[in-house]
């Protein structure tokens, strides 16, 4: 009975690996890779030092866990979130920095919407009058 339970548990683990979302990501010179608007920074180790310029496997499990693997070896990492925001509680908790944090939050709340130019606007196209219209006006 114990033997059956052990193989059953091992099969469940294999199902998690099979059913997870798997991608390959490029590791930069500073041992960083980007995924889901987050910057993953690999911890420095002898195994990770040789990874700059290589591709690693990224496993995104259904329970929210992430694993970075290279040749089957799990690599330790830390996450830097690009979408960091100043919250109202941070302003209230830091009395000395309250004014500065309030200004930062006000700037973050203003959403910058870039103006998308049409191709005509990019090349400074100006619509000209037709020759037949110009002739009629002078006549």
């Amino acid at each position: 009975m114990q033997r059956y339970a052990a193989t059953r548990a091992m099969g469940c683990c294999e199902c998690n690996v099979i059913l997870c979302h798997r991608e390959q990501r490029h590791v930069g010179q500073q041992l960083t890779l980007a995924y889901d608007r987050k910057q993953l920074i690999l911890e420095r180790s002898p195994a990770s030092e040789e990874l700059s310029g290589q591709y690693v496997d990224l496993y995104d499990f259904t329970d929210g866990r992430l694993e970075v693997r290279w040749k089957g070896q799990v690599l330790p990492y830390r996450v830097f979130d690009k979408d960091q925001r100043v919250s109202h509680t941070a302003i209230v908790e830091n009395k000395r920095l309250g004014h500065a944090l309030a200004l930062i939050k006000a700037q973050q709340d203003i959403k910058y919407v870039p103006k998308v130019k049409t191709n005509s606007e990019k090349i400074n196209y100006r619509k000209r009058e037709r020759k037949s219209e110009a002739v009629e006006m002078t006549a």
Side-chain angles (χ1 to χ4, degrees), residues 84-126:
Q84 293 178 351
R85 309 276 302 166
V86 175
S87 64
H88 182 70
T89 55
I91 295 171
V92 173
E93 289 176 0
N94 296 316
K95 292 181 181 180
R96 293 183 183 177
L97 296 175
H99 182 67
L101 290 173
L103 289 174
I104 292 170
K105 180 160 177 37
Q107 288 177 348
Q108 288 177 346
D109 288 341
I110 299 171
K111 292 191 177 186
Y112 173 71
V113 179
K115 183 181 183 301
V116 179
K117 290 184 175 182
T118 63
N119 288 338
S120 298
E121 291 173 335
K122 287 179 187 176
I123 62 170
N124 290 332
Y125 173 76
R126 304 264 187 248

Side-chain angles (χ1 to χ4, degrees), residues 29-43:
Q29 286 184 336
Q30 297 175 341
L31 300 179
T32 60
L33 54 124
Y35 179 73
D36 195 28
R37 298 200 44 84
K38 293 181 179 125
Q39 197 78 11
L40 304 177
I41 304 166
L42 297 177
E43 298 293 334

